[in-house]
Amino acid sequence: MARIDESRAFIPVRIAVLTVSDTRSLANDKSGQTLADRITEAGHILAGRDIVTDDREKIRDTVLAWSRDKAIDVVITTGGTGFTGRDVTPEALEPIFEKRMDGFSEVFHRISYDKIGTSTIQSRATGGVVNATFVFVLPGSPGACKDAWDGILKAQLDYRHMPCNFVEIMPRLDEHLRRGKSAP
């Protein structure tokens, strides 16, 4: 069963938050602030925070830049996961996923269903790995950000969480690249 192993030291993770919105600024970005607050309250490092418009290239370019930054371990986006014409975050990011994390979406929807019922199908929350960096794509509501952090990410980004967690596999996310470089 899931538990915290108190014999293991907590390891802070460096997390960047990207809000995708045509209407928000840092002053009124409740979802991004919700994530930033939870990240720092959990003992992690807020390694970056920005807002971009609902533009595929801007979203992709920001996430790619952060994924190449050695000072960032995880990127969380909020916004742009619905079905309106301007909602393009999954389309911007899923093509650059080296590995998709289908389980993240499934667990997110399970948690969301318990709170908002069938309305959860209006979100296309997703996750994956880009350049050995975990990327989580969340809806733009503070409630959805709380659900994803409290129900999934807080535990999975805690090295003490057992039986397994994302932190313990972070050093191995790029092993296929290193193995390729050392091949004869």
Side-chain angles (χ1 to χ4, degrees), residues 132-149:
T133 301
F134 286 114
V135 177
F136 301 98
V137 180
L138 308 181
S141 74
C145 292
K146 289 175 189 176
D147 291 345
W149 181 265

PDB file of all heavy atoms in Angstrom, residues 132-149:
ATOM      1  N   ALA A 132      14.073  13.998 -21.037  1.00  0.00           N
ATOM      2  CA  ALA A 132      14.307  13.498 -19.682  1.00  0.00           C
ATOM      3  C   ALA A 132      13.685  14.395 -18.610  1.00  0.00           C
ATOM      4  O   ALA A 132      14.145  14.427 -17.476  1.00  0.00           O
ATOM      5  CB  ALA A 132      15.796  13.281 -19.420  1.00  0.00           C
ATOM      6  N   THR A 133      12.632  15.112 -18.978  1.00  0.00           N
ATOM      7  CA  THR A 133      11.902  15.985 -18.055  1.00  0.00           C
ATOM      8  C   THR A 133      10.435  15.558 -18.054  1.00  0.00           C
ATOM      9  O   THR A 133       9.832  15.420 -19.119  1.00  0.00           O
ATOM     10  CB  THR A 133      12.002  17.453 -18.520  1.00  0.00           C
ATOM     11  OG1 THR A 133      13.387  17.815 -18.578  1.00  0.00           O
ATOM     12  CG2 THR A 133      11.268  18.394 -17.583  1.00  0.00           C
ATOM     13  N   PHE A 134       9.882  15.349 -16.868  1.00  0.00           N
ATOM     14  CA  PHE A 134       8.460  15.037 -16.782  1.00  0.00           C
ATOM     15  C   PHE A 134       7.657  16.280 -17.135  1.00  0.00           C
ATOM     16  O   PHE A 134       7.963  17.385 -16.670  1.00  0.00           O
ATOM     17  CB  PHE A 134       8.079  14.587 -15.366  1.00  0.00           C
ATOM     18  CG  PHE A 134       8.548  13.197 -15.032  1.00  0.00           C
ATOM     19  CD1 PHE A 134       9.496  12.994 -14.056  1.00  0.00           C
ATOM     20  CD2 PHE A 134       8.015  12.097 -15.685  1.00  0.00           C
ATOM     21  CE1 PHE A 134       9.924  11.706 -13.727  1.00  0.00           C
ATOM     22  CE2 PHE A 134       8.426  10.812 -15.376  1.00  0.00           C
ATOM     23  CZ  PHE A 134       9.393  10.612 -14.398  1.00  0.00           C
ATOM     24  N   VAL A 135       6.610  16.110 -17.944  1.00  0.00           N
ATOM     25  CA  VAL A 135       5.717  17.200 -18.323  1.00  0.00           C
ATOM     26  C   VAL A 135       4.287  16.757 -18.036  1.00  0.00           C
ATOM     27  O   VAL A 135       3.852  15.705 -18.515  1.00  0.00           O
ATOM     28  CB  VAL A 135       5.869  17.565 -19.816  1.00  0.00           C
ATOM     29  CG1 VAL A 135       4.880  18.658 -20.205  1.00  0.00           C
ATOM     30  CG2 VAL A 135       7.303  17.999 -20.122  1.00  0.00           C
ATOM     31  N   PHE A 136       3.578  17.576 -17.253  1.00  0.00           N
ATOM     32  CA  PHE A 136       2.188  17.301 -16.918  1.00  0.00           C
ATOM     33  C   PHE A 136       1.329  18.434 -17.440  1.00  0.00           C
ATOM     34  O   PHE A 136       1.629  19.606 -17.207  1.00  0.00           O
ATOM     35  CB  PHE A 136       2.023  17.156 -15.401  1.00  0.00           C
ATOM     36  CG  PHE A 136       2.873  16.060 -14.839  1.00  0.00           C
ATOM     37  CD1 PHE A 136       4.090  16.341 -14.250  1.00  0.00           C
ATOM     38  CD2 PHE A 136       2.469  14.737 -14.935  1.00  0.00           C
ATOM     39  CE1 PHE A 136       4.896  15.329 -13.752  1.00  0.00           C
ATOM     40  CE2 PHE A 136       3.270  13.706 -14.444  1.00  0.00           C
ATOM     41  CZ  PHE A 136       4.482  14.008 -13.850  1.00  0.00           C
ATOM     42  N   VAL A 137       0.272  18.094 -18.156  1.00  0.00           N
ATOM     43  CA  VAL A 137      -0.590  19.060 -18.840  1.00  0.00           C
ATOM     44  C   VAL A 137      -1.947  19.043 -18.143  1.00  0.00           C
ATOM     45  O   VAL A 137      -2.698  18.071 -18.265  1.00  0.00           O
ATOM     46  CB  VAL A 137      -0.717  18.701 -20.337  1.00  0.00           C
ATOM     47  CG1 VAL A 137      -1.612  19.689 -21.059  1.00  0.00           C
ATOM     48  CG2 VAL A 137       0.667  18.634 -20.985  1.00  0.00           C
ATOM     49  N   LEU A 138      -2.248  20.120 -17.401  1.00  0.00           N
ATOM     50  CA  LEU A 138      -3.449  20.186 -16.568  1.00  0.00           C
ATOM     51  C   LEU A 138      -4.460  21.180 -17.116  1.00  0.00           C
ATOM     52  O   LEU A 138      -4.090  22.135 -17.799  1.00  0.00           O
ATOM     53  CB  LEU A 138      -3.078  20.628 -15.149  1.00  0.00           C
ATOM     54  CG  LEU A 138      -1.967  19.876 -14.430  1.00  0.00           C
ATOM     55  CD1 LEU A 138      -1.763  20.447 -13.037  1.00  0.00           C
ATOM     56  CD2 LEU A 138      -2.278  18.395 -14.375  1.00  0.00           C
ATOM     57  N   PRO A 139      -5.718  20.987 -16.769  1.00  0.00           N
ATOM     58  CA  PRO A 139      -6.733  21.992 -17.112  1.00  0.00           C
ATOM     59  C   PRO A 139      -6.430  23.321 -16.425  1.00  0.00           C
ATOM     60  O   PRO A 139      -5.624  23.395 -15.490  1.00  0.00           O
ATOM     61  CB  PRO A 139      -8.030  21.388 -16.575  1.00  0.00           C
ATOM     62  CG  PRO A 139      -7.760  19.921 -16.470  1.00  0.00           C
ATOM     63  CD  PRO A 139      -6.300  19.820 -16.126  1.00  0.00           C
ATOM     64  N   GLY A 140      -7.113  24.359 -16.853  1.00  0.00           N
ATOM     65  CA  GLY A 140      -6.850  25.705 -16.366  1.00  0.00           C
ATOM     66  C   GLY A 140      -7.625  26.140 -15.144  1.00  0.00           C
ATOM     67  O   GLY A 140      -7.538  27.299 -14.761  1.00  0.00           O
ATOM     68  N   SER A 141      -8.340  25.259 -14.501  1.00  0.00           N
ATOM     69  CA  SER A 141      -9.085  25.665 -13.303  1.00  0.00           C
ATOM     70  C   SER A 141      -8.266  25.392 -12.046  1.00  0.00           C
ATOM     71  O   SER A 141      -7.541  24.393 -11.979  1.00  0.00           O
ATOM     72  CB  SER A 141     -10.419  24.922 -13.209  1.00  0.00           C
ATOM     73  OG  SER A 141     -10.208  23.571 -12.823  1.00  0.00           O
ATOM     74  N   PRO A 142      -8.375  26.261 -11.042  1.00  0.00           N
ATOM     75  CA  PRO A 142      -7.662  26.000  -9.779  1.00  0.00           C
ATOM     76  C   PRO A 142      -8.060  24.657  -9.169  1.00  0.00           C
ATOM     77  O   PRO A 142      -7.215  23.954  -8.618  1.00  0.00           O
ATOM     78  CB  PRO A 142      -8.076  27.168  -8.883  1.00  0.00           C
ATOM     79  CG  PRO A 142      -8.428  28.271  -9.833  1.00  0.00           C
ATOM     80  CD  PRO A 142      -9.040  27.572 -11.017  1.00  0.00           C
ATOM     81  N   GLY A 143      -9.333  24.284  -9.287  1.00  0.00           N
ATOM     82  CA  GLY A 143      -9.783  23.005  -8.737  1.00  0.00           C
ATOM     83  C   GLY A 143      -9.079  21.821  -9.382  1.00  0.00           C
ATOM     84  O   GLY A 143      -8.662  20.878  -8.702  1.00  0.00           O
ATOM     85  N   ALA A 144      -8.937  21.864 -10.695  1.00  0.00           N
ATOM     86  CA  ALA A 144      -8.246  20.780 -11.397  1.00  0.00           C
ATOM     87  C   ALA A 144      -6.771  20.738 -11.006  1.00  0.00           C
ATOM     88  O   ALA A 144      -6.192  19.653 -10.857  1.00  0.00           O
ATOM     89  CB  ALA A 144      -8.396  20.953 -12.905  1.00  0.00           C
ATOM     90  N   CYS A 145      -6.153  21.901 -10.835  1.00  0.00           N
ATOM     91  CA  CYS A 145      -4.751  21.946 -10.404  1.00  0.00           C
ATOM     92  C   CYS A 145      -4.601  21.373  -9.004  1.00  0.00           C
ATOM     93  O   CYS A 145      -3.654  20.623  -8.729  1.00  0.00           O
ATOM     94  CB  CYS A 145      -4.223  23.375 -10.476  1.00  0.00           C
ATOM     95  SG  CYS A 145      -4.068  23.987 -12.169  1.00  0.00           S
ATOM     96  N   LYS A 146      -5.521  21.709  -8.119  1.00  0.00           N
ATOM     97  CA  LYS A 146      -5.500  21.134  -6.765  1.00  0.00           C
ATOM     98  C   LYS A 146      -5.646  19.624  -6.825  1.00  0.00           C
ATOM     99  O   LYS A 146      -4.927  18.886  -6.146  1.00  0.00           O
ATOM    100  CB  LYS A 146      -6.633  21.725  -5.920  1.00  0.00           C
ATOM    101  CG  LYS A 146      -6.437  23.161  -5.533  1.00  0.00           C
ATOM    102  CD  LYS A 146      -7.668  23.681  -4.793  1.00  0.00           C
ATOM    103  CE  LYS A 146      -7.581  25.181  -4.590  1.00  0.00           C
ATOM    104  NZ  LYS A 146      -8.794  25.728  -3.963  1.00  0.00           N
ATOM    105  N   ASP A 147      -6.607  19.151  -7.627  1.00  0.00           N
ATOM    106  CA  ASP A 147      -6.837  17.702  -7.732  1.00  0.00           C
ATOM    107  C   ASP A 147      -5.597  16.977  -8.243  1.00  0.00           C
ATOM    108  O   ASP A 147      -5.204  15.940  -7.699  1.00  0.00           O
ATOM    109  CB  ASP A 147      -8.011  17.410  -8.664  1.00  0.00           C
ATOM    110  CG  ASP A 147      -9.344  17.847  -8.082  1.00  0.00           C
ATOM    111  OD1 ASP A 147      -9.426  18.122  -6.867  1.00  0.00           O
ATOM    112  OD2 ASP A 147     -10.325  17.915  -8.861  1.00  0.00           O
ATOM    113  N   ALA A 148      -4.971  17.510  -9.288  1.00  0.00           N
ATOM    114  CA  ALA A 148      -3.787  16.863  -9.851  1.00  0.00           C
ATOM    115  C   ALA A 148      -2.627  16.874  -8.862  1.00  0.00           C
ATOM    116  O   ALA A 148      -1.940  15.862  -8.687  1.00  0.00           O
ATOM    117  CB  ALA A 148      -3.377  17.549 -11.155  1.00  0.00           C
ATOM    118  N   TRP A 149      -2.406  18.025  -8.208  1.00  0.00           N
ATOM    119  CA  TRP A 149      -1.291  18.093  -7.259  1.00  0.00           C
ATOM    120  C   TRP A 149      -1.567  17.229  -6.034  1.00  0.00           C
ATOM    121  O   TRP A 149      -0.756  16.374  -5.676  1.00  0.00           O
ATOM    122  CB  TRP A 149      -1.004  19.533  -6.829  1.00  0.00           C
ATOM    123  CG  TRP A 149       0.154  19.550  -5.880  1.00  0.00           C
ATOM    124  CD1 TRP A 149       0.097  19.545  -4.511  1.00  0.00           C
ATOM    125  CD2 TRP A 149       1.532  19.481  -6.222  1.00  0.00           C
ATOM    126  NE1 TRP A 149       1.364  19.490  -3.995  1.00  0.00           N
ATOM    127  CE2 TRP A 149       2.267  19.447  -5.025  1.00  0.00           C
ATOM    128  CE3 TRP A 149       2.220  19.451  -7.435  1.00  0.00           C
ATOM    129  CZ2 TRP A 149       3.655  19.381  -4.996  1.00  0.00           C
ATOM    130  CZ3 TRP A 149       3.611  19.384  -7.416  1.00  0.00           C
ATOM    131  CH2 TRP A 149       4.313  19.346  -6.205  1.00  0.00           C
TER     132      TRP A 149
END
